[in-house]
Amino acid sequence: LNQYRIISDSIYLKVGYIINFGVFFDVVAHKFAEKNTVKLQCIEKIKEYFRVEKMQFSQPTYLSLLERDLLDVDGVMTTGQFIYSNRTIF
């Protein structure tokens, strides 16, 4: 970066850190839908929402946007509870 800066420019870099988290969710599928397929498609939507390549540094996450994405999955009738956790619940 030093070779591209102008003499009067200064560069400040923020230090980042890794966060391990989980998303626990409930969805209600239509009675005609294949439940396992709906579940796998919902998990793929969640993984797609949290892809690192799509995120900005210090970007907030909105579970309401994730809930909207899950409602777009074929076979999902409604969503239930969403829990965003930084620990594993068994």
Side-chain angles (χ1 to χ4, degrees):
L1 294 177
N2 218 8
Q3 63 185 345
Y4 299 110
R5 77 178 183 97
I6 301 174
I7 293 174
S8 63
D9 284 347
S10 60
I11 299 172
Y12 298 102
L13 299 176
K14 287 185 172 182
V15 178
Y17 52 93
I18 297 172
I19 300 173
N20 292 320
F21 64 91
V23 177
F24 301 93
F25 65 97
D26 292 328
V27 294
V28 177
H30 290 286
K31 65 181 179 179
F32 63 84
E34 179 63 38
K35 308 304 188 255
N36 288 329
T37 305
V38 171
K39 179 173 69 171
L40 290 175
Q41 288 175 347
C42 287
I43 291 170
E44 287 301 316
K45 276 283 190 182
I46 292 171
K47 287 167 54 175
E48 179 66 27
Y49 181 80
F50 286 108
R51 287 184 60 84
V52 174
E53 295 84 13
K54 293 174 47 178
M55 301 199 114
Q56 300 285 328
F57 194 75
S58 297
Q59 173 184 343
T61 56
Y62 298 105
L63 290 181
S64 60
L65 297 177
L66 179 59
E67 183 177 0
R68 184 195 66 200
D69 288 346
L70 289 182
L71 287 172
D72 291 338
V73 172
D74 287 337
V76 173
M77 185 167 54
T78 187
T79 59
Q81 182 179 22
F82 276 81
I83 300 172
Y84 182 79
S85 174
N86 63 350
R87 61 187 169 92
T88 306
I89 299 174
F90 293 100

